[in-house]
Amino acid sequence: MALKFFQKPEPDNSDRVPPGQYLAKGFPVLTYGDTPQINTDNWQLKVWGLVTEKTFSWSDLMSLPHHEFTKDFHCVTRWSKLDVKWTGIKVTDFINLLDVDPKATHVMQHCYGGYTTNLPLKDFVLEDNFFAFKLSGDPLPPDHGGPLRTVIPHLYAWKSAKWINGLEFLPQDELGFWEKNGYHRRGDPWKEERYGG
């Protein structure tokens, strides 16, 4: 790993960096496929499956409370970035708008461009999780998932879906894009759940 871009964590940060990870000096961009370009005037977030189906506009989402978040970010490709500053909307605030069937146990995140990733509902509906629309005070750039992405800080970053536009509530686990291609179903960085499982 090139020391120009990555470094080993200092001792005072070692408890914040999961096993096998290096600290990124910048904020790397890793994307499979083309980067969608979505105008907020046309952006929508649809919910379906074991939930009362609804479609939210950008203004619908922006009417919810905004919060500042400072979170560490861990990529499965072995880099981490500490203290990333985001502005967003708590998943817990959004979920309060929905009528979710008690039989729902998992959620599939769907994205512009066709990307999907799965989560147990208990991993999705947490106070620390949010929909991010700003990065370091500026509108979230398309390369980092703008106009909107989820941030699920306690799991590897492929679970923080870029360009989110749909949530499908499911009665069982189903595999998303990277999970079908060999990544772990859950992706806990502290357990090094990178592949398989």
Side-chain angles (χ1 to χ4, degrees):
M1 201 169 279
L3 293 179
K4 180 179 178 183
F5 303 107
F6 302 96
Q7 63 190 31
K8 289 185 178 179
E10 299 292 332
D12 58 341
N13 284 330
S14 60
D15 63 335
R16 295 173 61 188
V17 181
Q21 298 288 108
Y22 291 81
L23 289 180
K25 295 181 180 178
F27 198 166
V29 173
L30 297 175
T31 301
Y32 182 85
D34 296 331
T35 297
Q37 305 291 324
I38 306 107
N39 188 301
T40 54
D41 291 340
N42 302 319
W43 178 92
Q44 291 184 328
L45 178 67
K46 182 179 176 182
V47 298
W48 74 96
L50 292 178
V51 64
T52 301
E53 188 171 310
K54 289 185 180 182
T55 300
F56 296 85
S57 68
W58 186 258
S59 59
D60 291 335
L61 209 70
M62 291 301 108
S63 69
L64 291 172
H66 298 181
H67 299 274
E68 304 298 320
F69 302 89
T70 301
K71 298 293 178 184
D72 299 342
F73 195 80
H74 308 295
C75 182
V76 70
T77 58
R78 298 185 180 272
W79 61 266
S80 293
K81 183 169 178 61
L82 304 183
D83 296 323
V84 182
K85 297 186 184 306
W86 310 88
T87 305
I89 292 156
K90 290 182 178 182
V91 166
T92 49
D93 286 343
F94 178 75
I95 212 80
N96 285 336
L97 302 177
L98 307 182
D99 181 18
V100 180
D101 190 313
K103 298 186 189 72
T105 61
H106 289 76
V107 62
M108 183 73 76
Q109 300 178 78
H110 292 261
C111 305
Y112 288 99
Y115 180 77
T116 56
T117 189
N118 58 304
L119 281 171
L121 205 50
K122 64 183 180 182
D123 272 319
F124 184 62
V125 185
L126 295 175
E127 280 288 315
D128 276 355
N129 298 342
F130 53 96
F131 298 93
F133 59 88
K134 286 187 179 179
L135 175 62
S136 299
D138 293 321
L140 186 63
D143 283 352
H144 283 293
L148 194 79
R149 72 177 298 160
T150 56
V151 179
I152 314 295
H154 68 289
L155 299 178
Y156 281 124
W158 90 82
K159 296 293 187 178
S160 297
K162 296 179 179 180
W163 317 297
I164 186 94
N165 77 338
L167 296 171
E168 180 184 7
F169 290 83
L170 300 165
Q172 72 284 315
D173 196 12
E174 294 182 13
L175 300 182
F177 176 82
W178 283 118
E179 296 80 14
K180 289 178 182 174
N181 285 281
Y183 279 29
H184 197 277
R185 285 175 180 266
R186 183 161 182 263
D188 184 336
W190 295 97
K191 297 177 181 177
E192 295 197 79
E193 292 176 342
R194 291 185 169 89
Y195 309 109

PDB file of all heavy atoms in Angstrom, residues 152-183:
ATOM      1  N   ILE A 152     -23.728   4.186   7.193  1.00  0.00           N
ATOM      2  CA  ILE A 152     -23.926   3.150   8.216  1.00  0.00           C
ATOM      3  C   ILE A 152     -22.551   2.958   8.876  1.00  0.00           C
ATOM      4  O   ILE A 152     -21.782   2.071   8.501  1.00  0.00           O
ATOM      5  CB  ILE A 152     -24.437   1.827   7.587  1.00  0.00           C
ATOM      6  CG1 ILE A 152     -25.579   2.080   6.588  1.00  0.00           C
ATOM      7  CG2 ILE A 152     -24.830   0.826   8.672  1.00  0.00           C
ATOM      8  CD1 ILE A 152     -26.851   2.636   7.180  1.00  0.00           C
ATOM      9  N   PRO A 153     -22.182   3.806   9.841  1.00  0.00           N
ATOM     10  CA  PRO A 153     -20.789   3.877  10.287  1.00  0.00           C
ATOM     11  C   PRO A 153     -20.231   2.606  10.914  1.00  0.00           C
ATOM     12  O   PRO A 153     -19.014   2.392  10.881  1.00  0.00           O
ATOM     13  CB  PRO A 153     -20.796   5.018  11.317  1.00  0.00           C
ATOM     14  CG  PRO A 153     -22.055   5.776  11.080  1.00  0.00           C
ATOM     15  CD  PRO A 153     -23.026   4.801  10.510  1.00  0.00           C
ATOM     16  N   HIS A 154     -21.083   1.761  11.495  1.00  0.00           N
ATOM     17  CA  HIS A 154     -20.570   0.597  12.215  1.00  0.00           C
ATOM     18  C   HIS A 154     -20.265  -0.581  11.290  1.00  0.00           C
ATOM     19  O   HIS A 154     -19.744  -1.600  11.752  1.00  0.00           O
ATOM     20  CB  HIS A 154     -21.542   0.169  13.323  1.00  0.00           C
ATOM     21  CG  HIS A 154     -22.847  -0.385  12.836  1.00  0.00           C
ATOM     22  ND1 HIS A 154     -23.818   0.393  12.243  1.00  0.00           N
ATOM     23  CD2 HIS A 154     -23.353  -1.657  12.873  1.00  0.00           C
ATOM     24  CE1 HIS A 154     -24.865  -0.357  11.945  1.00  0.00           C
ATOM     25  NE2 HIS A 154     -24.611  -1.613  12.306  1.00  0.00           N
ATOM     26  N   LEU A 155     -20.556  -0.442   9.988  1.00  0.00           N
ATOM     27  CA  LEU A 155     -20.260  -1.501   9.025  1.00  0.00           C
ATOM     28  C   LEU A 155     -19.333  -0.963   7.938  1.00  0.00           C
ATOM     29  O   LEU A 155     -19.165   0.254   7.795  1.00  0.00           O
ATOM     30  CB  LEU A 155     -21.555  -2.037   8.397  1.00  0.00           C
ATOM     31  CG  LEU A 155     -22.559  -2.664   9.379  1.00  0.00           C
ATOM     32  CD1 LEU A 155     -23.818  -3.109   8.647  1.00  0.00           C
ATOM     33  CD2 LEU A 155     -21.938  -3.829  10.153  1.00  0.00           C
ATOM     34  N   TYR A 156     -18.721  -1.875   7.165  1.00  0.00           N
ATOM     35  CA  TYR A 156     -17.870  -1.449   6.052  1.00  0.00           C
ATOM     36  C   TYR A 156     -18.666  -0.553   5.100  1.00  0.00           C
ATOM     37  O   TYR A 156     -19.891  -0.674   4.958  1.00  0.00           O
ATOM     38  CB  TYR A 156     -17.335  -2.658   5.289  1.00  0.00           C
ATOM     39  CG  TYR A 156     -16.166  -3.355   5.936  1.00  0.00           C
ATOM     40  CD1 TYR A 156     -16.228  -4.719   6.239  1.00  0.00           C
ATOM     41  CD2 TYR A 156     -14.976  -2.677   6.211  1.00  0.00           C
ATOM     42  CE1 TYR A 156     -15.144  -5.384   6.811  1.00  0.00           C
ATOM     43  CE2 TYR A 156     -13.893  -3.328   6.781  1.00  0.00           C
ATOM     44  CZ  TYR A 156     -13.980  -4.685   7.082  1.00  0.00           C
ATOM     45  OH  TYR A 156     -12.906  -5.335   7.641  1.00  0.00           O
ATOM     46  N   ALA A 157     -17.942   0.302   4.400  1.00  0.00           N
ATOM     47  CA  ALA A 157     -18.563   1.396   3.648  1.00  0.00           C
ATOM     48  C   ALA A 157     -19.411   0.935   2.467  1.00  0.00           C
ATOM     49  O   ALA A 157     -20.233   1.724   1.985  1.00  0.00           O
ATOM     50  CB  ALA A 157     -17.486   2.367   3.179  1.00  0.00           C
ATOM     51  N   TRP A 158     -19.256  -0.307   1.988  1.00  0.00           N
ATOM     52  CA  TRP A 158     -20.126  -0.700   0.865  1.00  0.00           C
ATOM     53  C   TRP A 158     -21.587  -0.802   1.320  1.00  0.00           C
ATOM     54  O   TRP A 158     -22.496  -0.799   0.494  1.00  0.00           O
ATOM     55  CB  TRP A 158     -19.633  -1.984   0.190  1.00  0.00           C
ATOM     56  CG  TRP A 158     -20.161  -3.280   0.730  1.00  0.00           C
ATOM     57  CD1 TRP A 158     -21.357  -3.872   0.437  1.00  0.00           C
ATOM     58  CD2 TRP A 158     -19.494  -4.187   1.637  1.00  0.00           C
ATOM     59  NE1 TRP A 158     -21.484  -5.074   1.108  1.00  0.00           N
ATOM     60  CE2 TRP A 158     -20.348  -5.294   1.842  1.00  0.00           C
ATOM     61  CE3 TRP A 158     -18.250  -4.171   2.285  1.00  0.00           C
ATOM     62  CZ2 TRP A 158     -20.012  -6.358   2.675  1.00  0.00           C
ATOM     63  CZ3 TRP A 158     -17.910  -5.238   3.109  1.00  0.00           C
ATOM     64  CH2 TRP A 158     -18.792  -6.306   3.297  1.00  0.00           C
ATOM     65  N   LYS A 159     -21.815  -0.850   2.635  1.00  0.00           N
ATOM     66  CA  LYS A 159     -23.180  -0.842   3.166  1.00  0.00           C
ATOM     67  C   LYS A 159     -23.759   0.571   3.231  1.00  0.00           C
ATOM     68  O   LYS A 159     -24.948   0.743   3.472  1.00  0.00           O
ATOM     69  CB  LYS A 159     -23.206  -1.480   4.554  1.00  0.00           C
ATOM     70  CG  LYS A 159     -22.826  -2.954   4.583  1.00  0.00           C
ATOM     71  CD  LYS A 159     -23.852  -3.819   3.878  1.00  0.00           C
ATOM     72  CE  LYS A 159     -23.551  -5.302   4.054  1.00  0.00           C
ATOM     73  NZ  LYS A 159     -24.579  -6.151   3.409  1.00  0.00           N
ATOM     74  N   SER A 160     -22.920   1.583   3.054  1.00  0.00           N
ATOM     75  CA  SER A 160     -23.361   2.982   3.022  1.00  0.00           C
ATOM     76  C   SER A 160     -23.630   3.341   1.560  1.00  0.00           C
ATOM     77  O   SER A 160     -22.755   3.846   0.856  1.00  0.00           O
ATOM     78  CB  SER A 160     -22.286   3.893   3.619  1.00  0.00           C
ATOM     79  OG  SER A 160     -22.072   3.592   4.987  1.00  0.00           O
ATOM     80  N   ALA A 161     -24.835   3.071   1.117  1.00  0.00           N
ATOM     81  CA  ALA A 161     -25.161   3.076  -0.310  1.00  0.00           C
ATOM     82  C   ALA A 161     -25.150   4.478  -0.910  1.00  0.00           C
ATOM     83  O   ALA A 161     -25.854   5.379  -0.441  1.00  0.00           O
ATOM     84  CB  ALA A 161     -26.520   2.430  -0.526  1.00  0.00           C
ATOM     85  N   LYS A 162     -24.350   4.649  -1.964  1.00  0.00           N
ATOM     86  CA  LYS A 162     -24.338   5.897  -2.721  1.00  0.00           C
ATOM     87  C   LYS A 162     -25.585   5.986  -3.607  1.00  0.00           C
ATOM     88  O   LYS A 162     -26.102   4.979  -4.065  1.00  0.00           O
ATOM     89  CB  LYS A 162     -23.101   5.956  -3.625  1.00  0.00           C
ATOM     90  CG  LYS A 162     -21.773   5.977  -2.897  1.00  0.00           C
ATOM     91  CD  LYS A 162     -20.647   6.003  -3.929  1.00  0.00           C
ATOM     92  CE  LYS A 162     -19.281   6.040  -3.298  1.00  0.00           C
ATOM     93  NZ  LYS A 162     -18.207   6.065  -4.328  1.00  0.00           N
ATOM     94  N   TRP A 163     -26.003   7.234  -3.881  1.00  0.00           N
ATOM     95  CA  TRP A 163     -27.091   7.528  -4.838  1.00  0.00           C
ATOM     96  C   TRP A 163     -28.387   6.783  -4.504  1.00  0.00           C
ATOM     97  O   TRP A 163     -29.109   6.313  -5.367  1.00  0.00           O
ATOM     98  CB  TRP A 163     -26.655   7.213  -6.277  1.00  0.00           C
ATOM     99  CG  TRP A 163     -25.271   7.673  -6.574  1.00  0.00           C
ATOM    100  CD1 TRP A 163     -24.822   8.964  -6.566  1.00  0.00           C
ATOM    101  CD2 TRP A 163     -24.144   6.855  -6.901  1.00  0.00           C
ATOM    102  NE1 TRP A 163     -23.478   8.988  -6.875  1.00  0.00           N
ATOM    103  CE2 TRP A 163     -23.038   7.718  -7.093  1.00  0.00           C
ATOM    104  CE3 TRP A 163     -23.981   5.492  -7.074  1.00  0.00           C
ATOM    105  CZ2 TRP A 163     -21.775   7.238  -7.423  1.00  0.00           C
ATOM    106  CZ3 TRP A 163     -22.722   5.009  -7.412  1.00  0.00           C
ATOM    107  CH2 TRP A 163     -21.648   5.883  -7.571  1.00  0.00           C
ATOM    108  N   ILE A 164     -28.682   6.702  -3.216  1.00  0.00           N
ATOM    109  CA  ILE A 164     -29.840   5.932  -2.765  1.00  0.00           C
ATOM    110  C   ILE A 164     -31.133   6.467  -3.396  1.00  0.00           C
ATOM    111  O   ILE A 164     -31.325   7.680  -3.501  1.00  0.00           O
ATOM    112  CB  ILE A 164     -29.927   5.972  -1.215  1.00  0.00           C
ATOM    113  CG1 ILE A 164     -31.032   5.060  -0.670  1.00  0.00           C
ATOM    114  CG2 ILE A 164     -30.090   7.381  -0.684  1.00  0.00           C
ATOM    115  CD1 ILE A 164     -30.562   3.711  -0.288  1.00  0.00           C
ATOM    116  N   ASN A 165     -31.993   5.545  -3.845  1.00  0.00           N
ATOM    117  CA  ASN A 165     -33.305   5.965  -4.354  1.00  0.00           C
ATOM    118  C   ASN A 165     -34.415   4.978  -4.018  1.00  0.00           C
ATOM    119  O   ASN A 165     -35.544   5.144  -4.478  1.00  0.00           O
ATOM    120  CB  ASN A 165     -33.263   6.232  -5.863  1.00  0.00           C
ATOM    121  CG  ASN A 165     -33.260   4.963  -6.695  1.00  0.00           C
ATOM    122  OD1 ASN A 165     -32.886   3.898  -6.213  1.00  0.00           O
ATOM    123  ND2 ASN A 165     -33.652   5.071  -7.947  1.00  0.00           N
ATOM    124  N   GLY A 166     -34.117   3.960  -3.197  1.00  0.00           N
ATOM    125  CA  GLY A 166     -35.171   3.025  -2.837  1.00  0.00           C
ATOM    126  C   GLY A 166     -34.817   2.184  -1.627  1.00  0.00           C
ATOM    127  O   GLY A 166     -33.644   1.856  -1.407  1.00  0.00           O
ATOM    128  N   LEU A 167     -35.839   1.854  -0.849  1.00  0.00           N
ATOM    129  CA  LEU A 167     -35.704   0.940   0.284  1.00  0.00           C
ATOM    130  C   LEU A 167     -36.796  -0.112   0.158  1.00  0.00           C
ATOM    131  O   LEU A 167     -37.989   0.216   0.152  1.00  0.00           O
ATOM    132  CB  LEU A 167     -35.855   1.689   1.610  1.00  0.00           C
ATOM    133  CG  LEU A 167     -34.795   2.743   1.923  1.00  0.00           C
ATOM    134  CD1 LEU A 167     -35.216   3.550   3.155  1.00  0.00           C
ATOM    135  CD2 LEU A 167     -33.431   2.104   2.143  1.00  0.00           C
ATOM    136  N   GLU A 168     -36.361  -1.352   0.039  1.00  0.00           N
ATOM    137  CA  GLU A 168     -37.287  -2.477  -0.084  1.00  0.00           C
ATOM    138  C   GLU A 168     -37.261  -3.267   1.220  1.00  0.00           C
ATOM    139  O   GLU A 168     -36.203  -3.788   1.607  1.00  0.00           O
ATOM    140  CB  GLU A 168     -36.866  -3.359  -1.258  1.00  0.00           C
ATOM    141  CG  GLU A 168     -37.745  -4.553  -1.486  1.00  0.00           C
ATOM    142  CD  GLU A 168     -37.223  -5.450  -2.598  1.00  0.00           C
ATOM    143  OE1 GLU A 168     -36.109  -5.213  -3.108  1.00  0.00           O
ATOM    144  OE2 GLU A 168     -37.947  -6.410  -2.950  1.00  0.00           O
ATOM    145  N   PHE A 169     -38.392  -3.348   1.886  1.00  0.00           N
ATOM    146  CA  PHE A 169     -38.482  -4.039   3.170  1.00  0.00           C
ATOM    147  C   PHE A 169     -38.849  -5.500   2.925  1.00  0.00           C
ATOM    148  O   PHE A 169     -39.823  -5.796   2.226  1.00  0.00           O
ATOM    149  CB  PHE A 169     -39.489  -3.328   4.075  1.00  0.00           C
ATOM    150  CG  PHE A 169     -38.985  -1.987   4.533  1.00  0.00           C
ATOM    151  CD1 PHE A 169     -39.132  -0.869   3.713  1.00  0.00           C
ATOM    152  CD2 PHE A 169     -38.343  -1.847   5.751  1.00  0.00           C
ATOM    153  CE1 PHE A 169     -38.654   0.376   4.113  1.00  0.00           C
ATOM    154  CE2 PHE A 169     -37.869  -0.612   6.164  1.00  0.00           C
ATOM    155  CZ  PHE A 169     -38.013   0.502   5.344  1.00  0.00           C
ATOM    156  N   LEU A 170     -38.056  -6.398   3.507  1.00  0.00           N
ATOM    157  CA  LEU A 170     -38.109  -7.820   3.164  1.00  0.00           C
ATOM    158  C   LEU A 170     -38.385  -8.689   4.393  1.00  0.00           C
ATOM    159  O   LEU A 170     -37.988  -8.345   5.510  1.00  0.00           O
ATOM    160  CB  LEU A 170     -36.775  -8.252   2.553  1.00  0.00           C
ATOM    161  CG  LEU A 170     -36.344  -7.517   1.273  1.00  0.00           C
ATOM    162  CD1 LEU A 170     -34.870  -7.759   0.994  1.00  0.00           C
ATOM    163  CD2 LEU A 170     -37.200  -7.964   0.110  1.00  0.00           C
ATOM    164  N   PRO A 171     -38.987  -9.884   4.172  1.00  0.00           N
ATOM    165  CA  PRO A 171     -39.230 -10.806   5.277  1.00  0.00           C
ATOM    166  C   PRO A 171     -38.043 -11.717   5.569  1.00  0.00           C
ATOM    167  O   PRO A 171     -38.084 -12.503   6.514  1.00  0.00           O
ATOM    168  CB  PRO A 171     -40.429 -11.624   4.778  1.00  0.00           C
ATOM    169  CG  PRO A 171     -40.244 -11.658   3.290  1.00  0.00           C
ATOM    170  CD  PRO A 171     -39.633 -10.334   2.917  1.00  0.00           C
ATOM    171  N   GLN A 172     -36.993 -11.622   4.755  1.00  0.00           N
ATOM    172  CA  GLN A 172     -35.798 -12.435   4.960  1.00  0.00           C
ATOM    173  C   GLN A 172     -34.623 -11.719   4.284  1.00  0.00           C
ATOM    174  O   GLN A 172     -34.792 -10.760   3.554  1.00  0.00           O
ATOM    175  CB  GLN A 172     -35.963 -13.842   4.361  1.00  0.00           C
ATOM    176  CG  GLN A 172     -35.934 -13.899   2.833  1.00  0.00           C
ATOM    177  CD  GLN A 172     -37.196 -13.437   2.161  1.00  0.00           C
ATOM    178  OE1 GLN A 172     -38.284 -13.820   2.603  1.00  0.00           O
ATOM    179  NE2 GLN A 172     -37.088 -12.627   1.118  1.00  0.00           N
ATOM    180  N   ASP A 173     -33.419 -12.230   4.557  1.00  0.00           N
ATOM    181  CA  ASP A 173     -32.223 -11.639   3.960  1.00  0.00           C
ATOM    182  C   ASP A 173     -32.142 -12.018   2.481  1.00  0.00           C
ATOM    183  O   ASP A 173     -32.448 -13.151   2.101  1.00  0.00           O
ATOM    184  CB  ASP A 173     -30.974 -12.165   4.693  1.00  0.00           C
ATOM    185  CG  ASP A 173     -29.744 -11.331   4.410  1.00  0.00           C
ATOM    186  OD1 ASP A 173     -29.866 -10.229   3.840  1.00  0.00           O
ATOM    187  OD2 ASP A 173     -28.640 -11.773   4.786  1.00  0.00           O
ATOM    188  N   GLU A 174     -31.783 -11.051   1.663  1.00  0.00           N
ATOM    189  CA  GLU A 174     -31.452 -11.292   0.258  1.00  0.00           C
ATOM    190  C   GLU A 174     -30.128 -10.603  -0.023  1.00  0.00           C
ATOM    191  O   GLU A 174     -29.813  -9.594   0.603  1.00  0.00           O
ATOM    192  CB  GLU A 174     -32.558 -10.751  -0.660  1.00  0.00           C
ATOM    193  CG  GLU A 174     -33.876 -11.487  -0.519  1.00  0.00           C
ATOM    194  CD  GLU A 174     -34.950 -10.963  -1.475  1.00  0.00           C
ATOM    195  OE1 GLU A 174     -34.605 -10.197  -2.404  1.00  0.00           O
ATOM    196  OE2 GLU A 174     -36.119 -11.319  -1.280  1.00  0.00           O
ATOM    197  N   LEU A 175     -29.361 -11.121  -0.960  1.00  0.00           N
ATOM    198  CA  LEU A 175     -28.036 -10.575  -1.224  1.00  0.00           C
ATOM    199  C   LEU A 175     -28.096  -9.406  -2.191  1.00  0.00           C
ATOM    200  O   LEU A 175     -28.815  -9.438  -3.188  1.00  0.00           O
ATOM    201  CB  LEU A 175     -27.121 -11.665  -1.791  1.00  0.00           C
ATOM    202  CG  LEU A 175     -26.903 -12.891  -0.905  1.00  0.00           C
ATOM    203  CD1 LEU A 175     -25.936 -13.862  -1.579  1.00  0.00           C
ATOM    204  CD2 LEU A 175     -26.396 -12.510   0.473  1.00  0.00           C
ATOM    205  N   GLY A 176     -27.315  -8.373  -1.887  1.00  0.00           N
ATOM    206  CA  GLY A 176     -27.160  -7.250  -2.787  1.00  0.00           C
ATOM    207  C   GLY A 176     -26.017  -7.486  -3.760  1.00  0.00           C
ATOM    208  O   GLY A 176     -25.495  -8.601  -3.891  1.00  0.00           O
ATOM    209  N   PHE A 177     -25.596  -6.424  -4.447  1.00  0.00           N
ATOM    210  CA  PHE A 177     -24.609  -6.543  -5.527  1.00  0.00           C
ATOM    211  C   PHE A 177     -23.300  -7.169  -5.058  1.00  0.00           C
ATOM    212  O   PHE A 177     -22.865  -8.199  -5.589  1.00  0.00           O
ATOM    213  CB  PHE A 177     -24.344  -5.166  -6.150  1.00  0.00           C
ATOM    214  CG  PHE A 177     -23.265  -5.212  -7.201  1.00  0.00           C
ATOM    215  CD1 PHE A 177     -23.557  -5.621  -8.489  1.00  0.00           C
ATOM    216  CD2 PHE A 177     -21.953  -4.870  -6.890  1.00  0.00           C
ATOM    217  CE1 PHE A 177     -22.550  -5.684  -9.461  1.00  0.00           C
ATOM    218  CE2 PHE A 177     -20.954  -4.925  -7.852  1.00  0.00           C
ATOM    219  CZ  PHE A 177     -21.251  -5.332  -9.132  1.00  0.00           C
ATOM    220  N   TRP A 178     -22.623  -6.542  -4.097  1.00  0.00           N
ATOM    221  CA  TRP A 178     -21.317  -7.073  -3.679  1.00  0.00           C
ATOM    222  C   TRP A 178     -21.460  -8.376  -2.902  1.00  0.00           C
ATOM    223  O   TRP A 178     -20.578  -9.237  -2.948  1.00  0.00           O
ATOM    224  CB  TRP A 178     -20.549  -6.034  -2.861  1.00  0.00           C
ATOM    225  CG  TRP A 178     -19.934  -4.962  -3.702  1.00  0.00           C
ATOM    226  CD1 TRP A 178     -20.192  -3.621  -3.671  1.00  0.00           C
ATOM    227  CD2 TRP A 178     -18.949  -5.144  -4.748  1.00  0.00           C
ATOM    228  NE1 TRP A 178     -19.441  -2.960  -4.613  1.00  0.00           N
ATOM    229  CE2 TRP A 178     -18.674  -3.867  -5.284  1.00  0.00           C
ATOM    230  CE3 TRP A 178     -18.289  -6.252  -5.272  1.00  0.00           C
ATOM    231  CZ2 TRP A 178     -17.760  -3.677  -6.314  1.00  0.00           C
ATOM    232  CZ3 TRP A 178     -17.383  -6.064  -6.304  1.00  0.00           C
ATOM    233  CH2 TRP A 178     -17.123  -4.793  -6.808  1.00  0.00           C
ATOM    234  N   GLU A 179     -22.567  -8.527  -2.196  1.00  0.00           N
ATOM    235  CA  GLU A 179     -22.784  -9.763  -1.454  1.00  0.00           C
ATOM    236  C   GLU A 179     -22.910 -10.954  -2.415  1.00  0.00           C
ATOM    237  O   GLU A 179     -22.399 -12.044  -2.138  1.00  0.00           O
ATOM    238  CB  GLU A 179     -24.030  -9.627  -0.576  1.00  0.00           C
ATOM    239  CG  GLU A 179     -23.916  -8.573   0.522  1.00  0.00           C
ATOM    240  CD  GLU A 179     -24.149  -7.147   0.059  1.00  0.00           C
ATOM    241  OE1 GLU A 179     -24.660  -6.950  -1.080  1.00  0.00           O
ATOM    242  OE2 GLU A 179     -23.834  -6.216   0.826  1.00  0.00           O
ATOM    243  N   LYS A 180     -23.555 -10.740  -3.563  1.00  0.00           N
ATOM    244  CA  LYS A 180     -23.636 -11.799  -4.576  1.00  0.00           C
ATOM    245  C   LYS A 180     -22.279 -12.092  -5.193  1.00  0.00           C
ATOM    246  O   LYS A 180     -22.071 -13.160  -5.772  1.00  0.00           O
ATOM    247  CB  LYS A 180     -24.607 -11.390  -5.694  1.00  0.00           C
ATOM    248  CG  LYS A 180     -26.060 -11.395  -5.287  1.00  0.00           C
ATOM    249  CD  LYS A 180     -26.937 -10.933  -6.437  1.00  0.00           C
ATOM    250  CE  LYS A 180     -28.399 -10.882  -6.052  1.00  0.00           C
ATOM    251  NZ  LYS A 180     -29.230 -10.304  -7.138  1.00  0.00           N
ATOM    252  N   ASN A 181     -21.372 -11.140  -5.091  1.00  0.00           N
ATOM    253  CA  ASN A 181     -20.041 -11.296  -5.678  1.00  0.00           C
ATOM    254  C   ASN A 181     -18.969 -11.616  -4.636  1.00  0.00           C
ATOM    255  O   ASN A 181     -17.786 -11.339  -4.847  1.00  0.00           O
ATOM    256  CB  ASN A 181     -19.670 -10.020  -6.456  1.00  0.00           C
ATOM    257  CG  ASN A 181     -20.416  -9.939  -7.772  1.00  0.00           C
ATOM    258  OD1 ASN A 181     -20.056 -10.584  -8.740  1.00  0.00           O
ATOM    259  ND2 ASN A 181     -21.496  -9.163  -7.802  1.00  0.00           N
ATOM    260  N   GLY A 182     -19.389 -12.191  -3.506  1.00  0.00           N
ATOM    261  CA  GLY A 182     -18.433 -12.745  -2.566  1.00  0.00           C
ATOM    262  C   GLY A 182     -18.196 -11.973  -1.291  1.00  0.00           C
ATOM    263  O   GLY A 182     -17.479 -12.451  -0.403  1.00  0.00           O
ATOM    264  N   TYR A 183     -18.776 -10.769  -1.163  1.00  0.00           N
ATOM    265  CA  TYR A 183     -18.596 -10.024   0.079  1.00  0.00           C
ATOM    266  C   TYR A 183     -19.483 -10.612   1.176  1.00  0.00           C
ATOM    267  O   TYR A 183     -20.469 -11.302   0.910  1.00  0.00           O
ATOM    268  CB  TYR A 183     -18.963  -8.553  -0.130  1.00  0.00           C
ATOM    269  CG  TYR A 183     -17.881  -7.712  -0.760  1.00  0.00           C
ATOM    270  CD1 TYR A 183     -16.938  -8.257  -1.639  1.00  0.00           C
ATOM    271  CD2 TYR A 183     -17.788  -6.351  -0.500  1.00  0.00           C
ATOM    272  CE1 TYR A 183     -15.963  -7.474  -2.224  1.00  0.00           C
ATOM    273  CE2 TYR A 183     -16.811  -5.559  -1.082  1.00  0.00           C
ATOM    274  CZ  TYR A 183     -15.895  -6.127  -1.949  1.00  0.00           C
ATOM    275  OH  TYR A 183     -14.933  -5.348  -2.512  1.00  0.00           O
TER     276      TYR A 183
END
